[in-house]
Amino acid sequence: MNTAIDPRLLARLSTEFASLSTHLGLLGRDLEELHRQVLADHSRQTTTEPYRQPHTPPAAEPQTAGGAMPSSPPPPTGSVPGGVHGGWMGGGQPMYQPYPAAQPPRRLPAREPRTPWWQREGVISRVLAVAGVGVTLIGVVMLLVLAAQAGLFGPVPRVVAGAAFSAALVAVGMRVHGRAGGQVGAIALAATGIAGGYLDVVAVTAVYGWLHPVVGYAVALGIAAGGVALALRWRSQALAVLVVLGAALLSPAVTTELALLAFLIVLQIAALPVQLVRDWPYLHVVRTIPAVLVTLIAVAMASLGDEPRGHRYEVLAAAIAVAVVGLAGTVLVVRRRAGDITASLTFAAATVPLLAAPTMFERRTAVIVSAAFAAALLLVAVLPWLPKVADRVRIPGHCAAVAAVAGACAVLEACLGATRVQTLPIALYLVALAFLAVAGQQRSRVAAGIGAAFAVLGTLAFLSNATPEMLAEQRYAEDQLGISTALAAVAALAVLAVVFWCVRRLGLAANESETTALAVISGIAGLYAVTALAVSIGVATGNPEGFLAGHGIATVVWMATATTALLFGLRRLSRTPQQAKVALAAGLLVTAAALAKLFLFDLATLDGLVRAGAFLVVGVLLLLAGTRYARAFAEAGNNGAPSH
C-alpha cells in the first residue's frame, strides 16, 4: 500500500488556503468599512433631527355666564402652587425637557502598523550600497598594497588597474543616476570610484614614489574636489560623505608615513568649499575628525618615542595646518550661517592636536608654541568686541566662546611651561585678573568663567606653596616661604577685589544674602592671604625674628580690618541698614578671630617686643572701636539715628 502524499495536492491546498486567507482579509476590511459608514449615518441623523416635544392637548377654557372670560388674570408663567416651576400650569410649558439622543462613541483612527525597518523603502538598498562601497574600497587597497607585498603583478598593472576600475565605476554611476530608482546605486558607484582613485594617488605618491609629494597632493586635491563638485551637482550629502570618509578611513591602510597626514589634510581642504553653499553638518565632521585623530596619534608617538627633531617639526606643521584649516572653514561658514553649531564644534576638535603639540618639545619651544597659539585664538575671541572689525568678520558668540576656551587652555600650557612651582600661582592669578577685568568690562560670562577657573587653579597652587602648617611652624616657613609667596598673596588679594567687582557688574549676586555670602568668603580668603603675605615678607628679610614679626603684623592687620569694618558699618547704619548689618557682623567676627589668634597663637609663639607691640596695638584698636560703637548708639538713642 502506497502511503506517500502527493506533493501537488499539498501545493494546491497551500494555494487555496492562501487565496482563502486573502479573501477573508478583504471581507473583514469591507465589513469594517460598512460598520463605520452605518455609525456615521446614524450620528448624522440624530444630530440633524429636531427635538420632539410631547403632544399637549388644548385645555378647556372656563367661561362665565354669557360666555365672558373670567376677570381674574391667569397665574404668571412658570409659577404654580407649591413652588413647582416649569410644569404644564403656567404658560403651557412641559414639565420636562427630553435629553438629546446619545452620541455614538468616537472611534480613534486606526493606528497603522509600523513597517519593520528592513521593509521600508530604500533602507535595504542604502545598507547594501554602503556595504558595497566599503567592500569594494577594501578590494582596491588589497590590489594596491597586499598584492605588492605578495609579489603579484607589477606596480604598473596594479596602479593602472586601480585607476581604470575607479574611472569605470564613476562612469557607470553617472550613467545610472539619470534612470528611475538609480540614485542610490549611482551615489554608491560614484563614491567608490572617486575614493578608489584617491587611494590610487596615495599609493603612487607614498608607496611607489612615482610622483613628487607636492604633485601627488595636488592630484589628490583635484580628485577629492571633483567628487565634492559631483555631490554638489547631485545635491547629495551622502556622496560627499562617502567619498571623504572612504578615502580617510582606508588611507592609513595604504601608508602610515607623514604623507598620510598631508593626504588627510587635503581631504579636509577639498571638502571645505561645499560648506559655503550647503548646510551639510555630517560633511563637517567627516572632513575634520580623521585628520584630527591621525595628527593626534602622530603627536603622541613623537612625544613618547625617540623621534628626530625634524620629524617633530613636521608633525607640528601638520597640527598647525589642521587648526588653520579648521579655523578658516569655521569662520567662512559662520559668516553665512551664524547658527551653525557644528562648525564651531569641529573647530574645537581641530584645535586639539596643536594643544597637544607642545609635549613634543623642550620647555622653551613648548612655551613659544603655546603662547603663539593662545594669542591667535584669543584674537579670534575678541574680534566680536571690536566695533569696526565685528561687522566685517561677523563671528557669532558660540564660535568666539570656543576660541576663548581653547585659547585659555593654551595660556594654561604656557603658564605651566614658563613658571616653576613657586611662581606658578602668580602667573595663574595674573591671567585670572586679565580675564575677570575683560569680563567685567564687556559683561561676558564666558570670560568670567574662564577667569574664575584660573583663580581657582591659582588658589590651589598658592595653598600648596603656603599651607597652614607652613604658616604655623617657623622651620617650615623659613624653608618654603619667600618673596614669591608674598607676591602670590598680593595677587590673590587683587583677584578677590576684582572678583567682587565683576560679580556685581554681571549681576550674579541677585540678592543681599548672596552678596553677604560672597563677602564672607572673600573676607576669610583675604585674611589668609594677608597672613601669608606678612609671614612671607618677614621670612624673606632673613632676620631670625622675621617669622615672629610677620605673625605680629598679621594680627594687627586682622584687628585693623575688623575696626575698619565696624566703623564703616556704623557710618552706613542709617543710609543702607542691610550693608551696615553685614559690615558690623563681619567686623565683630574678625575681631573675635583676631583676639583668638592673639591669645591662642601669638601669646604662646611670640616673645619680647613683638608680643608686647601686638597686644598694645590690638588693645588700642579695640578701645577705638568700642568707643565709636558706644557713641554711635548713644547718639541714636538721643536723636533717633546715629551720627554720620
Side-chain angles (χ1 to χ4, degrees):
M1 179 178 180
N2 186 10
T3 58
I5 299 176
D6 187 2
R8 291 176 296 177
L9 176 60
L10 293 177
R12 286 198 303 273
L13 288 174
S14 176
T15 304
E16 291 170 357
F17 274 112
S19 176
L20 179 61
S21 175
T22 303
H23 286 296
L24 287 176
L26 294 174
L27 178 61
R29 285 198 297 270
D30 292 339
L31 289 175
E32 179 67 22
E33 179 64 22
L34 177 63
H35 182 256
R36 187 185 63 79
Q37 292 181 5
V38 169
L39 289 178
D41 183 70
H42 177 70
S43 174
R44 184 169 57 255
Q45 290 179 1
T46 55
T47 54
T48 55
E49 184 178 358
Y51 296 151
R52 296 182 178 180
Q53 297 181 356
H55 177 70
T56 306
E61 297 180 357
Q63 294 182 355
T64 59
M69 298 292 296
S71 59
S72 60
T77 302
S79 62
V80 294
V84 179
H85 301 280
W88 288 100
M89 299 176 65
Q93 297 296 327
M95 292 288 292
Y96 65 92
Q97 294 290 341
Y99 290 103
Q103 299 292 332
R106 297 183 61 184
R107 294 177 58 87
L108 296 176
R111 180 179 297 178
E112 297 182 359
R114 298 185 62 181
T115 306
W117 67 268
W118 63 86
Q119 296 181 5
R120 296 175 190 172
E121 182 180 1
V123 172
I124 295 297
S125 60
R126 291 186 178 92
V127 172
L128 293 176
V130 172
V133 171
V135 172
T136 307
L137 288 178
I138 292 174
V140 172
V141 171
M142 291 181 178
L143 176 65
L144 295 173
V145 178
L146 299 182
Q149 295 176 356
L152 302 177
F153 308 108
V156 175
R158 288 193 293 268
V159 172
V160 172
F165 183 64
S166 300
L169 288 176
V170 175
V172 174
M174 296 182 69
R175 184 176 180 85
V176 171
H177 183 265
R179 299 181 180 179
Q183 182 178 6
V184 175
I187 291 173
L189 291 170
T192 306
I194 296 169
Y198 194 91
L199 295 174
D200 202 50
V201 175
V202 173
V204 168
T205 305
V207 178
Y208 302 122
W210 294 350
L211 292 178
H212 189 275
V214 176
V215 178
Y217 302 151
V219 175
L221 179 62
I223 293 175
V228 172
L230 184 61
L232 281 175
R233 180 181 176 184
W234 289 357
R235 296 184 177 182
S236 172
Q237 181 179 194
L239 175 58
V241 169
L242 288 175
V243 168
V244 175
L245 190 60
L249 291 181
L250 292 176
S251 291
V254 178
T255 179
T256 57
E257 302 294 332
L258 283 176
L260 174 63
L261 299 179
F263 280 109
L264 293 178
I265 295 171
V266 165
L267 282 176
Q268 186 185 11
I269 297 173
L272 174 61
V274 70
Q275 301 298 138
L276 301 178
V277 294
R278 291 283 186 268
D279 185 11
W280 289 352
Y282 296 111
L283 185 59
H284 259 312
V285 176
V286 299
R287 75 177 179 85
T288 304
I289 298 302
V292 169
L293 292 178
V294 174
T295 308
L296 194 59
I297 293 172
V299 169
M301 294 178 63
S303 301
L304 300 176
D306 195 11
E307 302 293 342
R309 190 175 184 85
H311 177 85
R312 300 187 181 198
Y313 278 112
E314 290 176 350
V315 175
L316 175 62
I320 293 174
V322 171
V324 169
V325 174
L327 174 61
T330 300
V331 171
L332 291 176
V333 169
V334 297
R335 280 169 53 87
R336 294 176 176 268
R337 296 185 298 275
D340 196 337
I341 304 295
T342 305
S344 296
L345 295 178
T346 54
F347 167 48
T351 63
V352 174
L354 193 51
L355 289 174
T359 59
M360 299 186 297
F361 303 100
E362 69 279 0
R363 178 187 294 266
R364 182 177 179 182
T365 306
V367 171
I368 293 174
V369 172
S370 299
F373 192 36
L377 290 172
L378 294 178
L379 178 62
V380 175
V382 301
L383 286 179
W385 293 336
L386 304 177
K388 296 182 179 179
V389 181
D391 297 335
R392 297 182 180 180
V393 296
R394 298 195 302 275
I395 295 179
H398 54 84
C399 183
V402 169
V405 173
C409 294
V411 170
L412 179 60
E413 289 181 345
C415 291
L416 293 174
T419 60
R420 300 189 180 276
V421 176
Q422 293 77 12
T423 56
L424 178 60
I426 302 174
L428 295 176
Y429 278 140
L430 291 178
V431 176
L433 283 173
F435 275 104
L436 291 172
V438 172
Q441 182 65 29
Q442 299 293 331
R443 289 185 170 87
S444 170
R445 298 200 172 191
V446 175
I450 296 174
F454 273 93
V456 171
L457 293 176
T459 302
L460 294 177
F462 176 67
L463 291 176
S464 66
N465 292 338
T467 63
E469 186 179 10
M470 294 178 186
L471 297 178
E473 294 289 339
Q474 185 172 358
R475 55 191 181 90
Y476 290 147
E478 292 176 350
D479 291 339
Q480 302 294 332
L481 302 182
I483 191 64
S484 59
T485 313
L487 294 176
V490 173
L493 292 173
V495 168
L496 287 174
V498 175
V499 164
F500 200 82
W501 168 75
C502 186
V503 167
R504 296 181 65 87
R505 179 86 172 170
L506 294 175
L508 298 178
N511 48 48
E512 289 292 336
S513 61
E514 295 178 356
T515 305
T516 303
L518 179 63
V520 171
I521 295 173
S522 301
I524 295 173
L527 291 177
Y528 190 90
V530 165
T531 305
L533 174 61
V535 175
S536 298
I537 292 177
V539 172
T541 59
N543 193 316
E545 301 296 328
F547 173 79
L548 303 177
H551 268 290
I553 294 173
T555 305
V556 172
V557 172
W558 283 31
M559 193 61 217
T561 304
T563 304
T564 304
L566 290 173
L567 295 179
F568 175 80
L570 293 173
R571 290 179 62 86
R572 307 290 293 183
L573 194 58
S574 62
R575 301 178 184 177
T576 53
Q578 187 66 27
Q579 289 184 359
K581 292 178 182 179
V582 172
L584 292 174
L588 293 175
L589 288 175
V590 176
T591 300
L595 291 176
K597 183 178 182 298
L598 183 67
F599 284 97
L600 298 179
F601 181 82
D602 295 348
L603 185 61
T605 305
L606 306 183
D607 56 1
L609 186 61
V610 176
R611 180 170 55 186
F615 270 80
L616 287 174
V617 175
V618 171
V620 170
L621 291 175
L622 281 172
L623 291 174
L624 175 63
T627 303
R628 185 67 184 87
Y629 207 90
R631 178 186 172 190
F633 281 91
E635 292 177 353
N638 295 331
N639 303 328
S643 62
H644 307 311

